[in-house]
């Protein structure tokens, strides 16, 4: 990856984080930790990898994304707004009674391919989309992003078995392995590790990456597209709340909100990061 | 003329008959020879996927197909279709309003010897309560065929309930019979009481009307193949004209046809209502006919309830 392209993706990831945080702040609620850990994946997907057109959000041969960890609507809506699917101003209505931007990701929002929220179900939906594309000879890729806590749900493994069995190689999924779920660390609540070996056992092409490194994420997606006989699982090793020091590696900001002082500090950190990446 | 086959066989044949549409995709969960999706699978193997014993995955794969424009039909036993994957049907089919048809076979007591764990007696209740869901429970071969065609032409979530045993073909021989989603069909006119039934209780209700006629009681019979949206008009008309109603269903009396009818009566025209069904208990193993007898799903019990309803006028 060219240095300038990497810088632009990093800048986008920081901008996505700031936009998501402002969206949550205006609403007064929303999930920071899981949104921030997957922000770099979203930047790479929507600003490099995915074939989507904000002017034609329903075009049939587009690439698709199922945000299976549907509580991470702030990062999803921020990314889609920055991509141009709807005005940034609209984010101010997040979680309001008369808005389509509900607390969990909604199919009715332009650019969203499927609703999410009931955990463990999105990988199956993405698998269905990918199987549809293959059956109809559509050359596209379908993505899904799951939380690492989410893969404690049994349905994930039904989908894993099926995708491997049908060799659905246009399915490129991610586990946002930020190591913390609502009640605490996975290692204390319920540990799904080793994640990579499990998906390999279900006949997946598995790639481990630093999920906060846009270049590694982009390279993994390129590598996934070369695999012709297996679905790909990109295990993204991430930090919950990544990108703001006080949000990092804690369950407190899974759904909890920062104090006004913490919010100001977070915005400052993100502004500094954005300034350092702007030329 | 009609054939005395099960509604699941009639369903499977109709799906194959009307399946020649490139947007139709069919999924089963290792039960294709039970749900009878196998007829479609044999005819259109390129649009059939066996997902194995993984109903949740199947429903959501169907949902994924539907987001791309497909008409998806997912198949399993009614007990699993409505219960095991309730969350998937609610959140991933009905909430996004996707064109997925959830087909539950082997509904009710007449699964028979397999027993209570496999006898769906709550499925219509569970499916009926989800916003946007249409619930259809046909009674015989002819009605099933027409309902499948209507379901395929309708865009949106549907729960389609079929049964295991062979049942008498009746609707094809009734003049003026027609099927339309959301419409009940009057099979016989009457003035003293109205009997409203769905599924295999329709045939038993026609027999109950004969029993009542022999005693000089004129019973109207309505085949209510669509449980949701319920045909309010035909219910209110029957209530006003006959003044007493009996419902009959192979289902818990809570939440199904009887409840749907009682809701309409409560809203619009209170008349005595007697609900025939399984009285809020689980089924158990046995021969299907013995079970229907044991739980009171008989023409005699429907007729007895008709007399009770009339007495309450």
């Amino acid at each position: 990856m060219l240095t300038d392209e990497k810088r632009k993706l990093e800048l986008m990831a920081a901008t996505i984080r700031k936009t998501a945080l402002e969206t949550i702040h205006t609403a007064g609620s929303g999930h920071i930790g899981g949104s921030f850990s997957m922000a770099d994946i979203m930047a790479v997907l929507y600003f490099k990898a995915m074939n989507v057109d904000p002017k034609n959000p329903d075009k049939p041969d587009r690439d698709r994304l199922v945000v299976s960890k549907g509580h991470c609507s702030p990062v999803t809506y921020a990314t889609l707004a920055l991509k141009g699917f709807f005005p940034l101003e609209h984010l101010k209505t997040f979680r309001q009674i008369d808005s389509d931007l509900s607390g969990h990701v909604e199919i009715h929002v332009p650019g969203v391919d499927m609703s999410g929220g009931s955990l463990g179900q999105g990988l199956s939906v993405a698998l269905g989309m990918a199987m549809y594309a293959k059956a109809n000879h559509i050359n596209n890729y379908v993505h899904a992003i799951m939380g690492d806590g989410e893969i404690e749900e049994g349905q994930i493994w039904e989908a894993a078995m099926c995708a491997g069995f049908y060799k659905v190689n246009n399915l490129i999924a991610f586990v946002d392995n930020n190591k913390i779920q609502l009640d605490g660390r996975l290692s204390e609540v319920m540990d799904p590790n080793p994640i990579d070996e499990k998906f390999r056992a279900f006949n997946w092409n598995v790639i481990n990456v630093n999920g906060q490194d846009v270049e590694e994420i982009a390279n993994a997606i390129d590598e996934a597209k070369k695999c012709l006989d297996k679905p790909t699982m990109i295990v993204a090793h991430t930090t919950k709340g990544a990108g703001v020091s006080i949000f990092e590696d804690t369950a407190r900001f899974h759904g909890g909100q920062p104090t006004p002082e913490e919010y100001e500090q977070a915005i400052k950190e993100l502004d500094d990061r954005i300034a350092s990446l702007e030329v | 003329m009609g054939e005395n086959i099960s509604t699941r066989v009639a369903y499977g044949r109709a799906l194959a008959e009307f399946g020649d549409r490139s947007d139709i995709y069919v999924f089963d969960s290792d039960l294709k020879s039970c749900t009878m999706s196998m007829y479609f699978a044999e005819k259109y193997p390129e649009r059939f996927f066996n997902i194995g014993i993984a109903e949740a995955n199947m429903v959501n794969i169907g949902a994924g197909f539907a987001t791309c424009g497909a008409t998806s039909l997912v198949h399993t036993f009614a007990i699993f279709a409505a219960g095991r994957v309730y969350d998937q049907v609610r959140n991933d089919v009905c909430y996004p309003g996707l064109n997925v048809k959830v087909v539950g076979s082997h509904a009710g007591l007449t699964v028979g010897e397999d027993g209570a764990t496999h006898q769906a007696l709550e499925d219509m209740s569970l499916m009926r309560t989800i916003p946007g869901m249409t619930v259809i429970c046909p009674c015989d071969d002819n009605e099933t065929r027409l309902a499948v065609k209507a379901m395929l032409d309708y865009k949106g979530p549907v729960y389609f309930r079929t049964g295991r045993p062979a049942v008498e073909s009746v609707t094809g021989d009734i003049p003026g019979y027609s099927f339309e989603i959301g419409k009940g069909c009057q099979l016989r006119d009457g003035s003293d009481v109205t009997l409203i039934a769905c599924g295999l209780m329709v045939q038993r209700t026609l027999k109950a009307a004969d029993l009542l006629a022999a005693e000089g009681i004129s019973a109207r019979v309505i085949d209510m193949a669509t449980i949701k949206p319920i045909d309010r008009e035909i219910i209110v008309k029957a209530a006003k004209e006959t003044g007493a109603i009996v419902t009959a269903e192979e289902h818990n009396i809570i939440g199904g046809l009887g409840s749907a009818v009682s809701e309409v009566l409560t809203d619009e025209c209170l008349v005595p209502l007697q609900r025939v069904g399984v009285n809020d208990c689980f089924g158990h193993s046995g021969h299907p006919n013995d079970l229907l007898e044991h739980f009171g799903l008989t023409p005699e019990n429907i007729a007895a309830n008709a007399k009770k309803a009339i007495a309450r006028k």
Side-chain angles (χ1 to χ4, degrees):
Chain A
M1 184 181 281
L2 296 170
T3 313
D4 195 48
E5 186 180 20
K6 185 174 181 183
R7 180 190 60 78
K8 281 179 179 165
L9 287 172
E10 287 172 345
L11 174 60
M12 182 51 68
T15 308
I16 289 170
R17 286 188 172 93
K18 185 184 174 191
T19 308
L21 182 60
E22 288 171 336
T23 300
I24 292 167
H25 184 70
T26 304
S29 65
H31 296 77
I32 295 172
S35 284
F36 274 39
S37 60
M38 63 181 266
D40 304 284
I41 297 170
M42 292 298 275
V44 174
L45 283 175
Y46 279 92
F47 293 90
K48 178 172 171 60
M50 282 173 67
N51 170 24
V52 291
D53 180 3
K55 292 187 186 66
N56 186 13
D58 298 325
K59 69 171 182 166
D61 65 341
R62 70 186 186 275
D63 290 338
R64 289 157 199 267
L65 169 67
V66 177
V67 181
S68 191
K69 43 182 299 199
H71 54 289
C72 295
S73 51
V75 72
T76 306
Y77 293 153
T79 304
L80 293 173
L82 287 163
K83 183 72 178 174
F85 281 97
F86 50 85
L88 280 162
E89 189 71 14
H90 191 46
L91 293 171
K92 290 182 179 164
T93 68
F94 178 55
R95 287 179 172 241
Q96 302 303 305
I97 195 165
D98 53 354
S99 175
D100 57 344
L101 303 180
S102 287
H104 286 75
V105 172
E106 290 274 350
I107 197 171
H108 313 292
V109 175
V112 174
D113 292 311
M114 182 60 183
S115 303
S118 190
L119 292 177
Q121 301 178 5
L123 186 60
S124 299
V125 176
L127 171 58
M129 293 174 178
M131 289 169 72
Y132 178 89
K134 287 177 84 74
N136 287 277
H137 310 291
I138 298 167
N139 290 316
N140 69 354
Y141 292 95
V142 180
H143 306 279
I145 304 178
M146 289 158 286
D148 50 4
E150 180 183 8
I151 66 173
E152 293 161 7
E153 291 277 8
Q155 188 181 341
I156 292 294
W157 304 101
E158 294 183 4
M161 187 185 306
C162 186
F165 177 77
Y166 280 114
K167 300 181 170 42
V168 186
N169 66 308
N170 55 337
L171 176 62
I172 302 173
F174 296 82
V175 173
D176 177 7
N177 188 193
N178 65 29
K179 300 159 196 73
I180 293 174
Q181 56 192 119
L182 192 149
D183 271 346
R185 295 192 176 278
L186 270 65
S187 57
E188 294 161 358
V189 178
M190 180 53 60
D191 197 343
N193 280 296
I195 297 168
D196 51 1
E197 287 178 31
K198 286 192 177 70
F199 280 98
R200 254 183 224 116
F202 283 103
N203 293 316
W204 285 59
N205 172 40
V206 181
I207 305 168
N208 284 285
V209 300
N210 174 353
Q212 255 64 78
D213 185 318
V214 291
E215 187 169 2
E216 281 195 34
I217 295 163
N219 289 343
I221 293 170
D222 286 344
E223 197 183 321
K225 290 177 179 175
K226 291 177 193 152
C227 180
L228 301 179
D229 60 350
K230 289 178 180 179
T232 292
M233 182 59 66
I234 298 173
V235 181
H237 297 269
T238 57
T239 301
K240 193 135 183 164
V244 168
S245 59
I246 50 173
F247 294 163
E248 287 185 359
D249 202 34
T250 170
R252 188 187 145 203
F253 296 106
H254 174 89
Q257 299 307 306
T259 63
E261 296 73 28
E262 286 170 330
Y263 175 73
E264 292 306 322
Q265 184 189 333
I267 290 292
K268 184 175 183 315
E269 280 188 34
L270 290 166
D271 280 339
D272 289 348
R273 171 74 173 159
I274 288 166
S276 75
L277 290 163
E278 280 173 340
V279 282
Chain B
M1 284 299 101
E3 211 181 328
N4 295 340
I5 55 174
S6 66
T7 50
R8 68 188 167 117
V9 168
Y11 168 84
R13 289 183 186 172
L15 182 59
E17 180 185 351
F18 301 117
D20 185 22
R21 233 172 61 187
S22 63
D23 63 304
I24 294 175
Y25 282 87
V26 172
F27 308 87
D28 210 313
S29 47
D30 191 41
L31 292 171
K32 68 177 178 180
S33 60
C34 303
T35 65
M36 296 297 164
S37 69
M38 68 177 182
Y39 295 125
F40 180 94
E42 286 161 7
K43 200 168 170 186
Y44 304 108
E46 72 283 2
R47 286 187 283 116
F48 175 84
F49 293 97
N50 204 329
I51 304 303
I53 308 169
E55 297 82 7
N57 190 39
M58 174 181 65
V59 170
N60 284 12
I61 287 174
F65 269 73
T67 66
C68 302
T71 300
S72 300
L73 296 104
V74 299
H75 296 78
T76 181
F77 290 154
I79 190 80
F80 308 131
R84 187 181 190 100
V85 294
Y86 177 84
D87 185 23
Q88 284 77 7
V89 172
R90 180 194 185 275
N91 280 317
D92 298 307
V93 173
C94 293
Y95 179 57
L98 295 174
N99 194 16
V100 178
K101 320 303 184 188
V102 180
V103 183
S105 75
H106 294 63
L109 292 168
T110 51
V111 179
E113 290 80 354
D114 278 353
T117 60
H118 280 54
Q119 290 165 342
L121 298 172
E122 315 83 12
D123 54 318
M124 293 198 289
S125 175
L126 288 163
M127 293 293 100
R128 195 170 73 88
T129 195
I130 307 176
M133 185 58 118
T134 291
V135 178
I136 299 174
C137 176
C139 69
D140 70 357
D141 61 333
N142 176 62
E143 183 166 81
T144 301
R145 179 177 174 275
L146 296 174
V148 168
K149 186 168 190 308
M151 173 172 71
L152 291 172
D153 290 339
Y154 168 78
K155 200 164 185 178
V158 174
Y159 175 66
F160 197 96
R161 183 186 215 231
T162 68
R164 182 179 182 226
V167 287
E168 186 186 353
S169 178
V170 291
T171 60
D173 297 330
I174 293 173
Y177 170 82
S178 66
F179 177 84
E180 189 183 334
I181 293 175
K183 293 284 179 200
C185 186
Q186 185 174 304
L187 302 184
R188 193 178 293 188
D189 199 6
S191 54
D192 297 326
V193 63
T194 299
L195 316 178
I196 303 177
C198 65
L200 57 70
M201 294 306 285
V202 169
Q203 288 86 334
R204 289 171 174 252
T205 296
L206 286 166
K207 290 188 175 72
D210 289 339
L211 295 176
L212 291 165
E215 295 183 48
I217 298 169
S218 167
R220 181 178 297 186
V221 177
I222 291 170
D223 170 5
M224 195 69 87
T226 310
I227 316 307
K228 184 185 178 183
I230 196 86
D231 185 346
R232 302 180 75 90
E233 198 181 325
I234 202 170
I235 296 169
V236 172
K237 185 167 182 284
K240 285 180 177 164
E241 292 176 0
T242 70
I245 290 183
V246 178
T247 57
E249 60 195 309
E250 190 193 4
H251 188 273
N252 195 333
I253 57 164
I254 296 175
L257 174 66
S259 292
V261 170
S262 76
E263 287 157 17
V264 174
L265 296 178
T266 304
D267 288 347
E268 303 200 29
C269 182
L270 272 176
V271 298
L273 167 68
Q274 294 287 132
R275 291 171 293 144
V276 174
V278 177
N279 270 306
D280 197 21
C281 61
F282 293 107
H284 52 73
S285 289
H287 188 277
N289 287 336
D290 295 342
L291 289 167
L292 292 172
E293 188 82 25
H294 177 82
F295 286 97
L297 304 189
T298 59
E300 292 74 17
N301 193 34
I302 297 166
N305 274 277
K307 284 188 247 177
K308 275 188 206 166
I310 291 166
R312 286 172 54 205
K313 278 190 192 179

